[in-house]
Amino acid sequence: MSGLQKSLGGVVGTFLALSTILGSGMMILPGTSYQELGRSAWMPWAVAAVSVVPLLYCYAWLGRRHPSASGVAHYCEVAFGRSTGRSAGLLAMLALVAGIPATAITGGRYVAEFAGVPSLAWVFPVAVLAAATVIGCLGANVSGRVQVALVLALFALVTCTALLALGVHGVRAPSVAMPPLGELGSVLTAVYVAFTGWETVAFTFEEHKRPDAIPRIFAASYVIVVALYGLVLLGLFSAVDSADPALDRAPLLRLAERSLGDFGRPVTLALVVAAIAANVCASVLALSRLVFGMARSGYLPRALNRVRERDANPVTAVLAVGAVLAAIALLGATGVMSFQLLFVLSGGIYFVLYGLGAASYTKLAGHGPPRAVAALCAVTVVAVTVLAGPPMWMCWALFAVVLLVTALLSRRPSRRDPSAGAPAREPAR
C-alpha cells in the first residue's frame, strides 16, 4: 500500500486549516502591531489579508488538481522537475522542524508565567508534542476530531472575550491616519506570519475524500481567520491603551483582564493551551505526511514510507517526527538552541514556500487569467521580500543553495549497484 487512506471531509479539513494558522502569531502579533501603530494597526492586517488571497488561490488550485502528501514539493516537482521538488520539500521540512517547536515553546512560556511554575517552560512544549505524536499515531480522523474540539473552544473564548471588551468599554473606531511607511512596512512583514499555515495543511490533501472541496476549505478558513483577527484588534483598541507594556508579551491576557476581571487569567490560560495544542497537533500531522511523501519519492529513507496496514497511517513517520521535534523543543526551551533563530527560519521559509507554490501554479495553470493571478502573487512576494530585509533574503538564499546542491548531486553518476536500474522518470506535466 503506497497511498494514504482518504478519510477527511470538508468540515474536518477546514478545522485542520484553522489549526495550522491560529498559532503563536495570534497571541503576540495583534499586540505588537497595536503597540507600534496605535489604532492604525488595522492597516497592515488589511493589506496582508487582501494581498495573500492570490497566493491562497494558487494553493487551492494546486491542491485540488495535485493532492499529495508532499504538498509544495510535489507541485514543484510536477512543474519544474525533481531537483526543485526535492529542494522545496527539504526547505518545507526545515520550516516545520523549526516552527513547530517554536510554537510549543511560546505556549510553554505563557503557561509558565501564568502558573508561576518556571519548569513548565520546558515541560509544556515536550508534553504537548508527545500528546500530538500519540494523537497522530491514532490517525488523521482522530487528530481532526481533536482539532475540531480545540478550535471551537479557541474560537468561543476569543470571540466572547473580544465582544465583552467591546460591550464594556465601547467601540473605538480604527484610525485612518497613515503611519510612516517604514513603520508600516516593518509591521506588515511581521503580520504576514499570521497568514501562513495554508501551505502546511496542503500536506494532508492526499487524505481528503473530495479534492474538489479544497477551495471551499481555503475560503471558509480564510474568512474565519480574518474575522477572528479583526475582533481581537477591535477589542484591543477599545479596552487596552497602546502604550501598555504588556502588549508585546501577553496582549490577550491584558485584553481578558480588562474584559473579564479576575476570570481573565484562567480564560487566557485555557485559550493559550487550546491554540498551541491545536496548532501543534495539526502541524505534527502535516509534517509526518510530508516526511512520508518525501520517503515515498525516494528522497528520505524508505523506512519512513511504511504505513499501518489497517488504516494506511504512516506511524513510523509520525514517531520519527515527534521524537525530533521534542528534542528540538527541549533544546530551545532550555536555551541550548536559539529560540529566535527557530522563529526567523520558520517565518521566512514559510513565505518562500508561498512563492514556490505561486511559481508552480504559474507554470501549470497556463496562459490567460492565471497570468493575472501570477502577477499579483509576484508583486506580493517581491514586496514582502524587499520589506523584510536580510532575514527574508537569507531564506531565499538558503533555497538557492539547497537547489544548487541538489541539482549538482542529481547529475553525478550513481556509484551504487549499476543493476539498480534507470533513474525514475519525471512525472508527466
Side-chain angles (χ1 to χ4, degrees), residues 45-103:
W45 288 88
V47 171
V50 172
S51 59
V52 81
V53 170
L55 294 168
L56 299 187
Y57 178 86
C58 293
Y59 266 86
W61 188 94
L62 291 165
R64 180 178 180 179
R65 289 160 179 79
H66 304 280
S68 170
S70 299
V72 67
H74 179 68
Y75 310 151
C76 288
E77 182 173 347
V78 174
F80 302 109
R82 288 176 64 82
S83 294
T84 307
R86 186 173 195 173
S87 302
L90 292 172
L91 210 65
M93 286 175 55
L94 177 59
L96 288 166
V97 165
I100 298 171
T103 298

Side-chain angles (χ1 to χ4, degrees), residues 351-390:
F351 196 77
V352 171
L353 296 177
Y354 266 148
L356 294 176
S360 300
Y361 165 83
T362 303
K363 179 71 179 295
L364 297 173
H367 299 281
R371 293 298 182 188
V373 176
L376 292 173
C377 291
V379 169
T380 300
V381 170
V382 171
V384 173
T385 299
V386 172
L387 288 171

Side-chain angles (χ1 to χ4, degrees), residues 119-342:
S119 61
L120 287 175
W122 66 266
V123 171
F124 177 83
V126 173
V128 77
L129 282 164
T133 303
V134 171
I135 292 169
C137 287
L138 296 175
N141 247 337
V142 174
S143 180
R145 288 195 292 270
V146 169
Q147 287 161 62
V148 168
L150 290 171
V151 172
L152 283 175
L154 171 65
F155 185 81
L157 288 170
V158 172
T159 302
C160 290
T161 301
L163 290 177
L164 277 172
L166 295 173
V168 171
H169 300 281
V171 178
R172 295 187 69 196
S175 172
V176 295
M178 178 65 70
L181 287 180
E183 294 180 13
L184 180 63
S186 175
V187 174
L188 175 61
T189 303
V191 162
Y192 263 107
V193 174
F195 291 93
T196 58
W198 282 281
E199 74 282 15
T200 300
V201 78
F203 300 123
T204 66
F205 285 166
E206 187 174 320
E207 294 172 270
H208 279 258
K209 298 174 184 176
R210 294 184 54 191
D212 62 314
I214 288 172
R216 293 194 293 274
I217 290 171
F218 271 54
S221 57
Y222 171 82
V223 169
I224 294 171
V225 164
V226 171
L228 210 57
Y229 286 142
L231 270 176
V232 171
L233 281 173
L234 285 175
L236 289 172
F237 292 170
S238 70
V240 183
D241 188 272
S242 62
D244 193 318
L247 285 173
D248 64 353
R249 299 192 312 274
L252 293 183
L253 172 61
R254 186 51 52 93
L255 177 61
E257 287 176 339
R258 295 298 307 276
S259 307
L260 304 171
D262 293 339
F263 291 102
R265 185 166 288 269
V267 166
T268 305
L269 180 60
L271 189 155
V272 169
V273 171
I276 295 299
N279 185 271
V280 169
C281 282
S283 300
V284 167
L285 185 75
L287 178 56
S288 69
R289 271 48 184 172
L290 171 59
V291 168
F292 163 81
M294 294 283 283
R296 183 175 58 187
S297 298
Y299 300 147
L300 291 176
R302 289 290 183 184
L304 297 170
N305 185 28
R306 295 173 184 163
V307 296
R308 190 164 54 198
E309 191 64 33
R310 63 180 171 85
D311 59 0
N313 186 20
V315 177
T316 304
V318 175
L319 292 172
V321 162
V324 171
L325 294 177
I328 293 175
L330 185 59
L331 294 174
T334 54
V336 177
M337 184 177 291
S338 171
F339 172 66
Q340 287 74 18
L341 177 61
L342 294 177

